[in-house]
Coordinates of all heavy atoms in Angstrom, one line a residue:
A176 N 17.2 -26.9 -56.1 CA 16.0 -27.4 -56.9 C 16.0 -28.9 -57.0 O 14.9 -29.5 -57.0 CB 16.1 -26.8 -58.3
A177 N 17.2 -29.5 -57.0 CA 17.2 -31.0 -57.0 C 16.6 -31.7 -55.9 O 16.0 -32.7 -56.0 CB 18.7 -31.4 -57.1
I178 N 16.6 -31.0 -54.7 CA 16.0 -31.6 -53.5 C 14.5 -31.7 -53.7 O 13.8 -32.6 -53.4 CB 16.3 -30.7 -52.3 CG1 17.8 -30.8 -52.0 CG2 15.5 -31.1 -51.1 CD1 18.3 -29.8 -50.9
F179 N 13.9 -30.6 -54.3 CA 12.5 -30.5 -54.5 C 12.0 -31.6 -55.5 O 11.0 -32.2 -55.4 CB 12.0 -29.1 -54.9 CG 12.3 -28.1 -53.8 CD1 12.9 -26.9 -54.2 CD2 12.0 -28.3 -52.5 CE1 13.2 -26.0 -53.2 CE2 12.2 -27.4 -51.5 CZ 12.9 -26.2 -51.9
V180 N 12.8 -31.7 -56.6 CA 12.5 -32.7 -57.6 C 12.5 -34.1 -57.0 O 11.6 -34.9 -57.2 CB 13.5 -32.7 -58.8 CG1 13.3 -33.8 -59.7 CG2 13.4 -31.3 -59.5
A181 N 13.5 -34.4 -56.2 CA 13.6 -35.8 -55.6 C 12.5 -36.1 -54.7 O 12.0 -37.2 -54.6 CB 14.9 -35.9 -54.8
R182 N 11.9 -35.1 -54.0 CA 10.8 -35.3 -53.1 C 9.5 -35.1 -53.7 O 8.5 -35.2 -53.0 CB 11.0 -34.4 -51.9 CG 12.3 -34.7 -51.1 CD 12.4 -33.8 -49.9 NE 13.6 -34.1 -49.2 CZ 13.7 -34.4 -47.9 NH1 12.7 -34.4 -47.2 NH2 14.9 -34.6 -47.4
G183 N 9.4 -34.6 -55.0 CA 8.1 -34.4 -55.6 C 7.4 -33.2 -55.2 O 6.2 -33.1 -55.2
C184 N 8.1 -32.2 -54.7 CA 7.5 -31.0 -54.2 C 7.4 -30.0 -55.3 O 8.2 -29.1 -55.5 CB 8.3 -30.4 -53.0 SG 8.5 -31.5 -51.6
R185 N 6.4 -30.2 -56.1 CA 6.3 -29.4 -57.4 C 6.1 -27.9 -57.1 O 6.6 -27.1 -57.8 CB 5.2 -29.9 -58.2 CG 5.5 -31.3 -58.7 CD 4.4 -31.9 -59.6 NE 3.1 -32.0 -58.8 CZ 1.9 -32.0 -59.4 NH1 1.8 -32.1 -60.7 NH2 0.8 -32.1 -58.6
A186 N 5.3 -27.5 -56.1 CA 5.0 -26.1 -55.8 C 6.3 -25.5 -55.3 O 6.7 -24.3 -55.7 CB 3.9 -25.9 -54.8
E187 N 7.1 -26.2 -54.5 CA 8.3 -25.6 -54.0 C 9.4 -25.5 -55.1 O 10.1 -24.5 -55.1 CB 8.9 -26.5 -52.8 CG 8.0 -26.5 -51.6 CD 7.6 -25.2 -51.1 OE1 8.5 -24.3 -51.0 OE2 6.5 -25.0 -50.7
L188 N 9.3 -26.4 -56.0 CA 10.2 -26.3 -57.2 C 9.9 -25.1 -58.0 O 10.8 -24.4 -58.4 CB 10.1 -27.6 -58.0 CG 10.9 -27.7 -59.3 CD1 12.4 -27.6 -58.9 CD2 10.6 -28.9 -60.0
A189 N 8.6 -24.8 -58.3 CA 8.2 -23.7 -59.0 C 8.6 -22.4 -58.3 O 9.1 -21.4 -58.9 CB 6.8 -23.7 -59.3
K190 N 8.5 -22.3 -57.0 CA 8.9 -21.2 -56.2 C 10.4 -21.0 -56.3 O 10.9 -19.8 -56.4 CB 8.5 -21.3 -54.7 CG 7.0 -21.3 -54.5 CD 6.7 -21.5 -53.0 CE 5.3 -21.7 -52.7 NZ 5.1 -22.0 -51.3
C191 N 11.1 -22.0 -56.3 CA 12.6 -22.0 -56.5 C 13.0 -21.3 -57.8 O 13.8 -20.5 -57.9 CB 13.2 -23.4 -56.3 SG 15.0 -23.4 -56.4
W192 N 12.3 -21.8 -58.9 CA 12.6 -21.2 -60.2 C 12.2 -19.7 -60.2 O 12.9 -18.9 -60.9 CB 11.8 -22.0 -61.3 CG 12.3 -23.4 -61.5 CD1 13.6 -23.8 -61.4 CD2 11.6 -24.5 -62.0 NE1 13.7 -25.1 -61.7 CE2 12.5 -25.6 -62.1 CE3 10.3 -24.7 -62.3 CZ2 12.1 -26.8 -62.5 CZ3 9.8 -25.9 -62.7 CH2 10.8 -27.0 -62.8
Y193 N 11.1 -19.4 -59.6 CA 10.7 -18.0 -59.5 C 11.8 -17.1 -58.8 O 12.2 -16.1 -59.3 CB 9.4 -17.8 -58.8 CG 8.9 -16.4 -58.6 CD1 8.3 -15.7 -59.6 CD2 9.1 -15.8 -57.4 CE1 8.0 -14.4 -59.5 CE2 8.8 -14.5 -57.2 CZ 8.2 -13.8 -58.2 OH 7.8 -12.5 -58.1
E194 N 12.3 -17.6 -57.7 CA 13.3 -16.9 -57.0 C 14.6 -16.9 -57.8 O 15.4 -15.9 -57.7 CB 13.6 -17.5 -55.6 CG 12.4 -17.3 -54.7 CD 12.1 -15.9 -54.4 OE1 13.0 -15.0 -54.4 OE2 10.9 -15.6 -54.2
Q195 N 14.9 -17.9 -58.5 CA 16.1 -17.9 -59.4 C 16.0 -16.8 -60.4 O 17.0 -16.2 -60.8 CB 16.3 -19.3 -60.0 CG 16.9 -20.3 -59.1 CD 17.0 -21.7 -59.7 OE1 16.4 -21.9 -60.8 NE2 17.7 -22.6 -59.0
G196 N 14.8 -16.6 -60.9 CA 14.5 -15.6 -61.9 C 14.8 -14.2 -61.3 O 15.4 -13.3 -61.9
A197 N 14.3 -14.0 -60.1 CA 14.5 -12.7 -59.4 C 16.0 -12.5 -59.2 O 16.5 -11.3 -59.4 CB 13.8 -12.7 -58.1
L198 N 16.8 -13.5 -58.8 CA 18.2 -13.3 -58.6 C 18.9 -13.1 -59.9 O 19.9 -12.2 -59.9 CB 18.8 -14.6 -57.9 CG 18.3 -14.8 -56.4 CD1 18.8 -16.1 -55.9 CD2 18.8 -13.7 -55.5
A199 N 18.5 -13.8 -60.9 CA 19.2 -13.5 -62.2 C 18.9 -12.1 -62.7 O 19.8 -11.5 -63.2 CB 18.6 -14.5 -63.3
L200 N 17.7 -11.6 -62.5 CA 17.4 -10.2 -62.9 C 18.3 -9.2 -62.1 O 18.8 -8.3 -62.7 CB 15.9 -10.0 -62.7 CG 15.4 -8.7 -63.3 CD1 15.6 -8.6 -64.8 CD2 13.9 -8.5 -63.0
R201 N 18.4 -9.5 -60.8 CA 19.3 -8.6 -60.0 C 20.7 -8.6 -60.5 O 21.4 -7.6 -60.3 CB 19.2 -8.9 -58.6 CG 17.9 -8.5 -58.0 CD 17.8 -8.8 -56.5 NE 16.5 -8.5 -56.0 CZ 15.9 -9.2 -55.0 NH1 16.6 -10.2 -54.4 NH2 14.7 -8.9 -54.6
A202 N 21.2 -9.8 -60.9 CA 22.5 -9.9 -61.4 C 22.8 -9.5 -62.8 O 23.9 -9.5 -63.3 CB 22.9 -11.4 -61.3
G203 N 21.7 -9.0 -63.4 CA 21.8 -8.5 -64.8 C 21.7 -9.6 -65.9 O 22.0 -9.3 -67.0
R204 N 21.4 -10.8 -65.5 CA 21.2 -11.9 -66.4 C 19.8 -11.9 -66.8 O 19.0 -12.8 -66.4 CB 21.7 -13.2 -65.8 CG 23.2 -13.1 -65.4 CD 23.7 -14.4 -64.7 NE 23.1 -15.6 -65.1 CZ 22.4 -16.4 -64.3 NH1 22.2 -16.1 -63.1 NH2 21.9 -17.5 -64.8
V205 N 19.4 -11.0 -67.7 CA 18.0 -10.7 -67.9 C 17.3 -11.9 -68.7 O 16.2 -12.3 -68.4 CB 17.8 -9.4 -68.7 CG1 16.3 -9.1 -69.0 CG2 18.4 -8.3 -67.9
E206 N 18.0 -12.4 -69.7 CA 17.5 -13.5 -70.5 C 17.3 -14.8 -69.6 O 16.3 -15.5 -69.7 CB 18.3 -13.8 -71.7 CG 18.3 -12.8 -72.7 CD 19.2 -13.0 -73.9 OE1 19.6 -14.2 -74.1 OE2 19.4 -12.1 -74.7
A207 N 18.2 -15.0 -68.7 CA 18.1 -16.1 -67.8 C 16.9 -15.9 -66.9 O 16.2 -16.9 -66.5 CB 19.3 -16.3 -67.0
A208 N 16.7 -14.7 -66.5 CA 15.5 -14.4 -65.6 C 14.2 -14.7 -66.3 O 13.3 -15.3 -65.7 CB 15.6 -12.9 -65.2
V209 N 14.1 -14.3 -67.6 CA 12.9 -14.6 -68.3 C 12.6 -16.1 -68.4 O 11.5 -16.6 -68.2 CB 12.9 -13.9 -69.7 CG1 11.8 -14.4 -70.6 CG2 13.0 -12.4 -69.6
Q210 N 13.7 -16.8 -68.7 CA 13.6 -18.3 -68.8 C 13.1 -18.9 -67.5 O 12.2 -19.8 -67.5 CB 14.9 -18.9 -69.2 CG 15.2 -18.6 -70.6 CD 16.6 -19.1 -71.0 OE1 17.4 -19.6 -70.1 NE2 17.0 -19.0 -72.3
C211 N 13.6 -18.4 -66.4 CA 13.2 -18.9 -65.1 C 11.8 -18.6 -64.8 O 11.0 -19.5 -64.3 CB 14.1 -18.4 -63.9 SG 15.8 -19.0 -63.9
Y212 N 11.4 -17.4 -65.1 CA 10.0 -17.0 -64.8 C 9.0 -17.8 -65.7 O 8.0 -18.2 -65.2 CB 9.7 -15.5 -65.1 CG 10.4 -14.6 -64.1 CD1 11.1 -13.4 -64.5 CD2 10.3 -14.8 -62.7 CE1 11.7 -12.6 -63.6 CE2 10.9 -13.9 -61.8 CZ 11.6 -12.8 -62.3 OH 12.1 -12.0 -61.4
E213 N 9.4 -18.0 -67.0 CA 8.5 -18.8 -67.8 C 8.4 -20.3 -67.4 O 7.4 -20.9 -67.4 CB 9.1 -18.8 -69.3 CG 8.9 -17.5 -69.9 CD 9.5 -17.3 -71.3 OE1 10.3 -18.2 -71.7 OE2 9.3 -16.3 -72.0
R214 N 9.5 -20.8 -66.9 CA 9.5 -22.2 -66.4 C 8.7 -22.3 -65.1 O 7.9 -23.2 -65.0 CB 11.0 -22.6 -66.1 CG 11.2 -24.0 -65.8 CD 12.7 -24.3 -65.6 NE 13.0 -25.7 -65.5 CZ 14.1 -26.2 -65.2 NH1 15.2 -25.4 -65.0 NH2 14.3 -27.5 -65.1
A215 N 8.8 -21.3 -64.2 CA 8.0 -21.3 -63.0 C 6.5 -21.2 -63.4 O 5.7 -21.9 -62.8 CB 8.4 -20.2 -62.1
A216 N 6.2 -20.3 -64.3 CA 4.8 -20.1 -64.7 C 4.2 -21.3 -65.3 O 3.0 -21.6 -65.0 CB 4.7 -18.9 -65.7
R217 N 4.9 -22.1 -66.1 CA 4.4 -23.4 -66.6 C 4.1 -24.3 -65.4 O 3.0 -25.0 -65.5 CB 5.4 -24.0 -67.6 CG 5.4 -23.3 -68.9 CD 6.2 -24.2 -69.9 NE 7.6 -24.4 -69.5 CZ 8.6 -23.6 -69.8 NH1 8.4 -22.5 -70.5 NH2 9.8 -24.0 -69.4
Q218 N 4.9 -24.4 -64.5 CA 4.7 -25.3 -63.3 C 3.5 -24.8 -62.5 O 2.7 -25.6 -62.1 CB 5.9 -25.4 -62.5 CG 5.8 -26.4 -61.3 CD 5.7 -27.8 -61.8 OE1 5.9 -28.1 -63.0 NE2 5.3 -28.7 -60.9
F219 N 3.4 -23.5 -62.3 CA 2.3 -23.0 -61.5 C 1.0 -23.2 -62.3 O -0.1 -23.4 -61.7 CB 2.4 -21.5 -61.3 CG 3.5 -21.2 -60.2 CD1 4.4 -20.2 -60.4 CD2 3.5 -21.9 -59.0 CE1 5.4 -19.9 -59.4 CE2 4.5 -21.6 -58.0 CZ 5.4 -20.6 -58.3
A220 N 1.0 -23.2 -63.6 CA -0.2 -23.5 -64.4 C -0.6 -24.9 -64.2 O -1.8 -25.2 -64.0 CB 0.1 -23.3 -65.9
R221 N 0.3 -25.9 -64.2 CA 0.0 -27.3 -63.9 C -0.6 -27.5 -62.5 O -1.4 -28.3 -62.3 CB 1.3 -28.1 -64.0 CG 1.8 -28.3 -65.4 CD 3.0 -29.3 -65.4 NE 3.7 -29.0 -66.6 CZ 4.9 -28.4 -66.6 NH1 5.5 -28.1 -65.5 NH2 5.6 -28.2 -67.8
L222 N -0.2 -26.6 -61.6 CA -0.7 -26.7 -60.2 C -2.0 -25.9 -60.0 O -2.5 -25.8 -58.9 CB 0.4 -26.3 -59.2 CG 1.6 -27.1 -59.2 CD1 2.7 -26.5 -58.4 CD2 1.3 -28.5 -58.7
D223 N -2.4 -25.2 -61.0 CA -3.6 -24.3 -61.0 C -3.5 -23.2 -59.9 O -4.3 -23.1 -59.0 CB -4.9 -25.1 -60.8 CG -6.1 -24.3 -61.0 OD1 -6.1 -23.3 -61.8 OD2 -7.2 -24.6 -60.4
L224 N -2.4 -22.5 -60.0 CA -2.1 -21.4 -59.0 C -2.0 -20.1 -59.8 O -1.0 -19.6 -60.2 CB -0.8 -21.6 -58.3 CG -0.8 -22.9 -57.4 CD1 0.6 -23.1 -56.9 CD2 -1.8 -22.7 -56.2
P225 N -3.2 -19.5 -60.1 CA -3.2 -18.3 -61.0 C -2.5 -17.0 -60.4 O -1.9 -16.3 -61.1 CB -4.7 -18.0 -61.2 CG -5.4 -18.7 -60.1 CD -4.5 -19.9 -59.7
L226 N -2.5 -16.9 -59.1 CA -1.8 -15.7 -58.5 C -0.3 -15.8 -58.7 O 0.3 -14.8 -59.1 CB -2.2 -15.6 -57.0 CG -1.5 -14.4 -56.3 CD1 -1.9 -13.1 -57.0 CD2 -1.9 -14.4 -54.8
R227 N 0.2 -17.0 -58.5 CA 1.6 -17.2 -58.8 C 2.0 -17.0 -60.3 O 3.0 -16.5 -60.6 CB 2.0 -18.6 -58.4 CG 2.0 -18.9 -56.9 CD 3.1 -18.2 -56.2 NE 3.1 -18.6 -54.8 CZ 4.1 -18.2 -54.0 NH1 5.1 -17.6 -54.4 NH2 4.0 -18.6 -52.7
R228 N 1.0 -17.5 -61.1 CA 1.2 -17.2 -62.6 C 1.3 -15.8 -62.9 O 2.1 -15.3 -63.7 CB 0.1 -17.9 -63.4 CG 0.2 -19.4 -63.4 CD -0.9 -20.0 -64.1 NE -0.8 -19.9 -65.6 CZ -1.7 -20.2 -66.4 NH1 -2.8 -20.7 -66.0 NH2 -1.4 -20.1 -67.7
A229 N 0.4 -15.0 -62.2 CA 0.3 -13.6 -62.4 C 1.6 -12.9 -62.0 O 2.2 -12.0 -62.7 CB -0.8 -13.0 -61.6
L230 N 2.2 -13.3 -60.9 CA 3.5 -12.8 -60.4 C 4.6 -13.1 -61.4 O 5.4 -12.2 -61.7 CB 3.8 -13.3 -59.0 CG 2.9 -12.8 -57.9 CD1 3.2 -13.6 -56.6 CD2 3.0 -11.3 -57.7
C231 N 4.6 -14.3 -61.9 CA 5.6 -14.6 -62.9 C 5.5 -13.8 -64.2 O 6.5 -13.2 -64.7 CB 5.5 -16.1 -63.3 SG 6.0 -17.3 -62.0
A232 N 4.3 -13.6 -64.6 CA 4.0 -12.8 -65.8 C 4.4 -11.3 -65.6 O 5.0 -10.7 -66.4 CB 2.6 -12.9 -66.3
H233 N 4.1 -10.8 -64.4 CA 4.4 -9.4 -64.0 C 5.9 -9.2 -64.0 O 6.5 -8.3 -64.6 CB 3.8 -9.1 -62.7 CG 4.2 -7.8 -62.1 ND1 5.3 -7.6 -61.3 CD2 3.7 -6.6 -62.3 CE1 5.4 -6.3 -61.0 NE2 4.5 -5.7 -61.6
D234 N 6.6 -10.1 -63.3 CA 8.1 -9.9 -63.2 C 8.8 -10.2 -64.6 O 9.8 -9.6 -64.9 CB 8.6 -10.8 -62.1 CG 8.2 -10.4 -60.8 OD1 7.6 -9.3 -60.6 OD2 8.4 -11.1 -59.8
S235 N 8.2 -11.1 -65.3 CA 8.8 -11.4 -66.7 C 8.6 -10.2 -67.5 O 9.5 -9.9 -68.3 CB 8.1 -12.6 -67.3 OG 8.6 -12.9 -68.6
S236 N 7.5 -9.5 -67.4 CA 7.3 -8.2 -68.2 C 8.4 -7.2 -67.9 O 8.9 -6.5 -68.8 CB 5.9 -7.7 -68.0 OG 5.8 -7.0 -66.8
H237 N 8.8 -7.1 -66.7 CA 9.8 -6.1 -66.3 C 11.2 -6.5 -67.0 O 11.9 -5.7 -67.5 CB 10.0 -6.0 -64.8 CG 8.9 -5.2 -64.2 ND1 8.9 -3.9 -64.2 CD2 7.8 -5.6 -63.5 CE1 7.8 -3.5 -63.6 NE2 7.1 -4.5 -63.2
A238 N 11.5 -7.8 -66.9 CA 12.7 -8.3 -67.5 C 12.7 -8.1 -69.0 O 13.7 -7.6 -69.6 CB 12.9 -9.8 -67.2
L239 N 11.5 -8.3 -69.7 CA 11.4 -8.1 -71.1 C 11.6 -6.7 -71.5 O 12.1 -6.4 -72.6 CB 10.1 -8.7 -71.6 CG 10.0 -10.2 -71.6 CD1 8.6 -10.7 -71.7 CD2 10.9 -10.9 -72.7
L240 N 11.1 -5.8 -70.7 CA 11.3 -4.4 -70.9 C 12.8 -4.0 -71.0 O 13.2 -3.3 -71.8 CB 10.6 -3.5 -69.9 CG 9.1 -3.4 -70.0 CD1 8.5 -2.7 -68.8 CD2 8.7 -2.6 -71.2
R241 N 13.5 -4.6 -70.0 CA 15.0 -4.4 -70.0 C 15.7 -4.9 -71.2 O 16.7 -4.4 -71.6 CB 15.6 -5.0 -68.7 CG 15.2 -4.2 -67.5 CD 15.7 -4.7 -66.2 NE 17.2 -4.7 -66.2 CZ 17.9 -5.2 -65.2 NH1 17.2 -5.6 -64.1 NH2 19.2 -5.3 -65.2
L242 N 15.1 -5.9 -71.8 CA 15.7 -6.5 -73.1 C 15.2 -5.7 -74.3 O 15.7 -5.9 -75.4 CB 15.2 -7.9 -73.3 CG 15.9 -9.0 -72.4 CD1 15.2 -10.3 -72.6 CD2 17.4 -9.0 -72.6
G243 N 14.3 -4.8 -74.1 CA 13.7 -4.0 -75.3 C 12.7 -4.8 -76.0 O 12.3 -4.4 -77.1
A244 N 12.2 -5.9 -75.5 CA 11.1 -6.7 -76.1 C 9.8 -6.1 -75.7 O 9.1 -6.8 -74.9 CB 11.3 -8.1 -75.8
Y245 N 9.4 -4.9 -76.1 CA 8.3 -4.2 -75.7 C 7.0 -5.0 -76.0 O 6.0 -5.0 -75.2 CB 8.2 -2.8 -76.2 CG 9.5 -2.0 -75.8 CD1 10.4 -1.6 -76.8 CD2 9.7 -1.7 -74.5 CE1 11.5 -0.9 -76.4 CE2 10.9 -1.0 -74.1 CZ 11.8 -0.6 -75.1 OH 12.9 0.0 -74.7
D246 N 6.9 -5.6 -77.2 CA 5.7 -6.3 -77.5 C 5.4 -7.5 -76.6 O 4.3 -7.7 -76.1 CB 5.7 -6.8 -79.0 CG 7.0 -7.6 -79.3 OD1 8.0 -7.5 -78.6 OD2 6.9 -8.3 -80.3
R247 N 6.5 -8.2 -76.3 CA 6.4 -9.4 -75.4 C 6.1 -8.9 -74.0 O 5.3 -9.6 -73.2 CB 7.6 -10.2 -75.4 CG 7.8 -11.0 -76.7 CD 9.1 -11.8 -76.8 NE 9.2 -12.7 -75.7 CZ 10.4 -13.2 -75.3 NH1 11.5 -12.8 -75.9 NH2 10.5 -14.1 -74.3
A248 N 6.7 -7.8 -73.6 CA 6.4 -7.3 -72.2 C 5.0 -6.9 -72.1 O 4.4 -7.2 -71.0 CB 7.3 -6.1 -72.0
L249 N 4.4 -6.2 -73.1 CA 3.0 -5.9 -73.0 C 2.1 -7.1 -72.9 O 1.2 -7.1 -72.1 CB 2.6 -5.0 -74.3 CG 1.2 -4.6 -74.3 CD1 0.8 -3.8 -73.2 CD2 0.9 -3.9 -75.7
A250 N 2.4 -8.1 -73.7 CA 1.6 -9.4 -73.6 C 1.7 -10.0 -72.3 O 0.7 -10.5 -71.7 CB 2.1 -10.3 -74.7
E251 N 2.9 -10.0 -71.6 CA 3.0 -10.5 -70.3 C 2.3 -9.8 -69.2 O 1.6 -10.3 -68.4 CB 4.5 -10.6 -69.9 CG 5.2 -11.7 -70.6 CD 4.7 -13.1 -70.3 OE1 4.6 -13.5 -69.1 OE2 4.4 -13.8 -71.2
I252 N 2.3 -8.4 -69.3 CA 1.6 -7.6 -68.3 C 0.1 -7.8 -68.4 O -0.6 -7.8 -67.5 CB 2.1 -6.2 -68.3 CG1 1.8 -5.5 -66.9 CG2 1.5 -5.4 -69.4 CD1 2.5 -6.1 -65.7
L253 N -0.4 -7.9 -69.7 CA -1.8 -8.1 -69.9 C -2.2 -9.5 -69.4 O -3.3 -9.7 -68.8 CB -2.1 -7.9 -71.4 CG -2.0 -6.5 -71.9 CD1 -2.3 -6.5 -73.4 CD2 -3.0 -5.6 -71.2
R254 N -1.3 -10.5 -69.6 CA -1.6 -11.8 -69.1 C -1.7 -11.8 -67.5 O -2.5 -12.4 -66.9 CB -0.5 -12.8 -69.5 CG -0.7 -14.2 -69.2 CD 0.3 -15.1 -69.8 NE 0.1 -14.9 -71.3 CZ 1.2 -14.9 -72.1 NH1 2.4 -15.0 -71.6 NH2 1.0 -14.7 -73.4
A255 N -0.8 -11.0 -66.9 CA -0.8 -10.9 -65.4 C -2.2 -10.3 -65.0 O -2.7 -10.8 -64.0 CB 0.3 -10.0 -65.0
L256 N -2.6 -9.3 -65.7 CA -3.9 -8.7 -65.3 C -5.1 -9.7 -65.5 O -6.0 -9.8 -64.7 CB -4.2 -7.5 -66.2 CG -3.3 -6.3 -65.9 CD1 -3.6 -5.2 -67.0 CD2 -3.7 -5.8 -64.5
D257 N -5.0 -10.6 -66.5 CA -6.0 -11.6 -66.7 C -6.0 -12.6 -65.5 O -7.1 -13.1 -65.1 CB -5.8 -12.4 -68.0 CG -6.2 -11.6 -69.2 OD1 -6.9 -10.6 -69.1 OD2 -5.7 -11.9 -70.3
Y258 N -4.9 -12.9 -65.0 CA -4.8 -13.9 -63.9 C -5.4 -13.3 -62.6 O -5.9 -14.0 -61.8 CB -3.4 -14.4 -63.7 CG -2.8 -15.2 -64.8 CD1 -1.5 -15.0 -65.2 CD2 -3.6 -16.1 -65.5 CE1 -1.0 -15.8 -66.3 CE2 -3.1 -16.8 -66.5 CZ -1.8 -16.7 -66.9 OH -1.2 -17.4 -67.9
F259 N -5.2 -12.0 -62.4 CA -5.8 -11.4 -61.2 C -7.3 -11.3 -61.4 O -8.1 -11.3 -60.5 CB -5.2 -10.0 -61.0 CG -3.8 -9.9 -60.5 CD1 -2.8 -9.4 -61.2 CD2 -3.6 -10.5 -59.2 CE1 -1.5 -9.4 -60.7 CE2 -2.3 -10.4 -58.7 CZ -1.3 -9.9 -59.4

């Protein structure tokens, strides 16, 4: 991620955070995954990339379900639908 920051590649940085979220989820680090997805989503919002925001919200909802945060998971999946 530091390489992308140094070069000002904001979209690539957000993609990196998204992938870190996916890896964290696979490793069972669910809270870390949610944080990565939220961070990526904020960057995708700045870049006006709604499809990427939708993917972040979708994957974040799955992680939140694993945490038992059903209300937040529902909000995220509905947000993903809005972006589509």
Side-chain angles (χ1 to χ4, degrees):
I178 294 169
F179 299 131
V180 172
R182 295 181 184 233
C184 301
R185 296 180 301 160
E187 298 304 318
L188 179 62
K190 290 177 192 177
C191 182
W192 289 331
Y193 175 80
E194 292 300 327
Q195 286 176 346
L198 291 172
L200 190 58
R201 287 185 186 147
R204 298 175 37 238
V205 183
E206 290 179 12
V209 172
Q210 290 174 354
C211 288
Y212 290 137
E213 289 173 351
R214 191 174 187 189
R217 285 192 301 272
Q218 184 67 11
F219 287 134
R221 288 185 204 107
L222 298 170
D223 192 28
L224 296 170
L226 181 58
R227 293 283 185 173
R228 289 177 75 186
L230 292 172
C231 288
H233 174 267
D234 291 350
S235 180
S236 72
H237 286 281
L239 290 165
L240 283 173
R241 288 180 59 181
L242 288 174
Y245 302 112
D246 55 337
R247 289 177 58 202
L249 177 61
E251 285 297 306
I252 201 66
L253 292 174
R254 186 170 301 136
L256 288 171
D257 285 342
Y258 295 140
F259 283 116

